[in-house]
Amino acid sequence: MHTKTIAELSHALHKREISSVELTRTFIERIKRHNGALNAYVTVTEEQALAQARAADARLKKGEGGPLTGIPLAQKDIFCTQGVKTTCGSKMLDNFIAPYDATTVERFNHAGAVMLGKTNMDEFAMGSSNETSFYGPVKNPWDLSAVPGGSSGGSAAAVAARLAPAATSTDTGGSIRQPAALCGITGIKPTYGRVSRYGMIAFASSLDQGGPMARTAEDCALLLQAMAGFDARDSTSADRPVPSYSAALNDSIKGLKIGLPKEYFGAGLDKKMAQLIEAAIKEYEKLGATVQEISLPNTHLAVPVYYVIAPAECSSNLSRFDGVRFGYRCKAPKDLEDLYKRSRGEGFGAEVKRRIMVGTYVLSAGYYDAYYLKAQKLRRLISDDFKQAFSEVDVIMGPTAPTAAFNLGEKTDDPVTMYLSDIYTIAVNLAGLPAMSIPAGFIGQRPAGLQIIGNYFDEARLLNVAHQYQKVTDWHSRVPVGFE
Amino acid sequence: MSLQPSDVEKIAHLARLAVSEQDTPAYVRNLSNIIDLVGQMNAVDTTHVTPMAHPLDMAARLRPDAVTEINQRERFQAIAPEVDAGVYLVPKVIE
């Protein structure tokens, strides 16, 4: 049961061949058996899950419910869940029980999905390896000595190890796509504004976007359908209709114009990774797509620009954690300043503090123009590169990450080395575009991901393009040894 | 560009973060490396470029000036570190 896709499980649930309670129990048992080795979940909500499953079964019995009714899912621990701890991977929120549900959580509840638990993540989504979590690193199911990627490492590992058919995730600089690539699963970061950010703990508000992770593009289409859409409670929510994502899956991609940015295939890209991406592109040519080289000339500026804008926004967003209204408070503060400083100093981990300090620095008097304004101008150039590219091609393809998963501890000493592992994903967030990562092979036993970038609000086409590849390949259906 | 320990202390104060003396050298090193990385931006002339603050060209929405939230003080204060009679408690500010 645990190896089936959501599409298959949904079919079986509606035909009453299985019950949601049975399905939920299967996944809870698997979590109990494997989570010790992976550390993918930080909270398992067994009782609530079974109650939701019983409610789903009652709906299904009456012939009601939709494609997600009775389907178990995991929520990244960045989404607020009423009555259930929401930690964001931080000591700061180790005791935080959200007083309300995030819109994404509310929508899945409304669809009748079952929440299995909350998944581990880099602290406040700041990291590319899940090693900054207060709850310890997540292990990659394909190789326990490797990182799962980050920041949605727990969600990616849970889906790859079949500890959930799907999970939610968020992407500020690659945090859906990079862990999806490193764990051999499918993930989509929608257009900025497509999925509500209400109740999704803020890191960098002009970049953050939630999206689903699953094993297939077909499943991602079902999940995104539930997540996407206008929400008045998010001031940057896009007020435009949501198309049917499943309807477009089987469209032919004959004549599809694929652009390959030459900057994504240069120095720094692992040779074996380059070969796998080239093989995937060949597969697309067989399906009738045409391929042309394009240029995104400001690609090399994306990481520097991101590490001004994201920390600047983070330093502002995370100022709310002050030890007064909720979250961690230091012991015996001697005055108000001591309360602020020690609550924050003790509650945040090293990477979060680094980013808050970088953000504070670039926004401080005398430096604003040199750093923040400069970064905003370069952000325009990076975004214009994509506009130019999409006047010539339908989608852009390349590697999601320069290498397969690296070893635990390999990049923790030098933050800048870690930052550079997001070189192919970050520009997409700066521009606000949608992009996916899909499994495209293995380097040794570690998975490789193909990135597909689309134009604004073109998620249906991305899912269609990904689905067509998954119909003729089987990388996405491989199961890591020990988790069959 | 290299930061000095005094820069890190100043930034930490502005950010209201307690950083121990023992941790300061590591922050000086790491933050200097990050500032060097972002310094690569200076290689590009951006004199005539309009800054981009947001990925989508959208205007802020307006809504009627009406109360939409209900009072949920007790619920919100249930997760506060220290409250008394409906107010959040902090160390004494005014003598």
Side-chain angles (χ1 to χ4, degrees), chain A residues 7-25:
Chain A
E8 291 162 346
L9 291 172
S10 184
H11 187 72
L13 283 167
H14 280 273
K15 289 188 75 181
R16 312 288 298 144
E17 291 164 4
I18 52 166
S19 72
S20 178
V21 168
E22 280 174 88
L23 190 57
T24 301
R25 283 219 171 92

Side-chain angles (χ1 to χ4, degrees), chain A residues 82 96 99 192 206 230 232 234 237 304 324-325 329 341 344 354 357 361 371 374 376-380 415, chain B residues 1 11 13 15-16 18 27 30 35 41 44 46 49-56 61 75 80-82 89:
Chain A
Q82 191 176 337
F96 178 63
Y192 181 86
S206 80
F230 177 67
D234 171 359
S237 176
V324 175
R325 289 155 302 151
R329 172 181 283 202
K341 285 187 171 176
R344 291 164 60 78
R354 273 195 287 273
M357 285 198 271
Y361 178 71
Y371 290 107
K374 181 82 182 176
Q376 286 193 318
K377 289 178 168 190
L378 292 168
R379 183 176 188 178
R380 171 83 57 195
Chain B
M1 173 180 166
I11 299 165
H13 170 68
R16 299 296 185 272
Y27 282 111
N30 288 326
I35 298 300
M41 299 192 305
V44 185
T46 50
V49 182
T50 313
M52 176 173 162
H54 199 268
L56 301 180
R61 281 194 311 276
R75 199 153 143 235
E82 216 181 337
L89 295 189

